[in-house]
Amino acid sequence: MQNENQLIDVTKHPSAGIKDLVSLAIMKLTYGRNLGMVKHPAYLRGLPYISDNFIALKVDKVIDLEEGNKMMVDFDLGRFNMLDTSGYSIIYFDDSLVETGYVADKDIFWRELSDIFDILSSHFPPDKIARKYHPFLTTDKAIIRVGEVLPDFIPAELLYNKNVKLYLSVASNSIVNVEEGKVVSLINLVTLSNGELTKRTKESLIQRSHSEILFPQSLDEFERILIDLKGQSDLKR
């Protein structure tokens, strides 16, 4: 459920290239001809959009922002958890950035991620680190060898746990709904296609987040976050 800080303006997005045309055709065949494409400021490709006129004709009731927020006040998402993640200290949510065209050089990107996980594994044992991948994209899960792989099909929000101390991602939507635990975006530690994309993506994460997202500027700064986090965990024992 979105709050007022998660509303983002989108614009109409004409299909650009054969991939967009094929994607739009498949979605129209699946969801009806009223579906179109819009441009989200943090995405390279167009996103599916159902027109307001279609919603007005086919939907009996629209829950507006105020009513939706009221419904979520006492909603316990934990009731629907499908996997016990209480044994993990860190969960990394993969973005599948190589497959979606966000990365100009995949070899550089993989090397940067490997450096990040080398630091991570020097402070936390492998059995305390979990990795969650996107369910529809074929990311090579063997690139990163640190931590345990969680099932793809489980929504990220159902993996949140009060015992998890840190949620990591480059820019996955999975981290914007976190309310307990630290949240770190690795976006400044990897090389995306261009600087403008990095800027727009960061702005989108900040605008939609339910808690503060940390954006370390260097590997040293990232390691200091881990050291502080580990120190806090040791004090609570």
Side-chain angles (χ1 to χ4, degrees):
M1 184 63 65
Q2 292 182 325
N3 60 30
E4 54 270 16
N5 294 322
Q6 292 178 293
L7 295 178
I8 295 178
D9 291 332
V10 293
T11 57
K12 290 184 177 179
H13 176 71
S15 298
I18 188 65
K19 286 186 178 180
D20 271 357
L21 287 172
V22 171
S23 178
L24 181 59
I26 292 173
M27 287 188 291
K28 281 181 174 289
L29 288 171
T30 305
Y31 302 109
R33 61 185 179 84
N34 290 285
L35 187 140
M37 300 285 279
V38 295
K39 183 66 176 176
H40 185 289
Y43 289 86
L44 293 176
R45 298 176 183 172
L47 297 174
Y49 171 76
I50 298 176
S51 70
D52 292 339
N53 290 337
F54 179 83
I55 295 294
L57 287 172
K58 301 295 183 179
V59 176
D60 291 330
K61 177 179 174 57
V62 175
I63 299 174
D64 62 22
L65 202 58
E66 183 179 358
E67 184 178 358
N69 286 335
K70 288 180 180 178
M71 292 171 63
M72 293 299 292
V73 170
D74 297 317
F75 184 79
D76 180 16
L77 189 62
R79 291 183 301 159
F80 304 96
N81 284 354
M82 303 172 64
L83 181 69
D84 182 11
T85 57
S86 60
Y88 299 112
S89 297
I90 295 170
I91 296 181
Y92 165 76
F93 295 112
D94 189 76
D95 306 75
S96 301
L97 295 176
V98 173
E99 291 82 356
T100 52
Y102 275 58
V103 175
D105 188 318
K106 66 178 182 180
D107 292 329
I108 291 176
F109 177 73
W110 289 131
R111 189 161 61 248
E112 290 168 335
L113 268 188
S114 294
D115 290 343
I116 290 168
F117 273 84
D118 284 346
I119 294 173
L120 194 62
S121 61
S122 70
H123 292 281
F124 291 88
D127 63 345
K128 294 296 182 180
I129 302 170
R131 292 179 278 136
K132 162 71 167 63
Y133 289 85
H134 195 284
F136 301 118
L137 298 174
T138 55
T139 301
D140 187 349
K141 300 174 186 176
I143 294 295
I144 300 173
R145 300 182 181 275
V146 177
E148 301 177 2
V149 178
L150 303 180
D152 295 356
F153 65 88
I154 301 179
E157 288 78 6
L158 299 186
L159 297 172
Y160 298 163
N161 189 286
K162 64 180 181 180
N163 290 330
V164 175
K165 305 304 179 186
L166 180 65
Y167 297 92
L168 289 176
S169 183
V170 175
S172 172
N173 289 326
S174 302
I175 59 176
V176 301
N177 291 319
V178 174
E179 295 182 348
E180 292 186 82
K182 281 188 178 296
V183 182
V184 170
S185 167
L186 307 170
I187 197 167
N188 292 324
L189 306 180
V190 298
T191 306
L192 299 188
S193 298
N194 60 72
E196 183 60 28
L197 175 61
T198 298
K199 178 184 176 182
R200 293 200 313 265
T201 304
K202 286 177 63 177
E203 290 173 348
S204 175
L205 288 173
I206 293 169
Q207 186 176 358
R208 293 178 294 123
S209 178
H210 283 76
S211 59
E212 181 186 10
I213 298 179
L214 302 178
F215 295 92
Q217 299 290 327
S218 66
L219 291 177
D220 286 342
E221 185 177 347
F222 173 64
E223 186 165 22
R224 286 197 296 272
I225 293 173
L226 296 179
I227 292 171
D228 290 345
L229 184 68
K230 189 175 179 182
Q232 292 169 10
S233 298
D234 290 342
L235 288 174
K236 292 178 180 179
R237 290 178 183 174

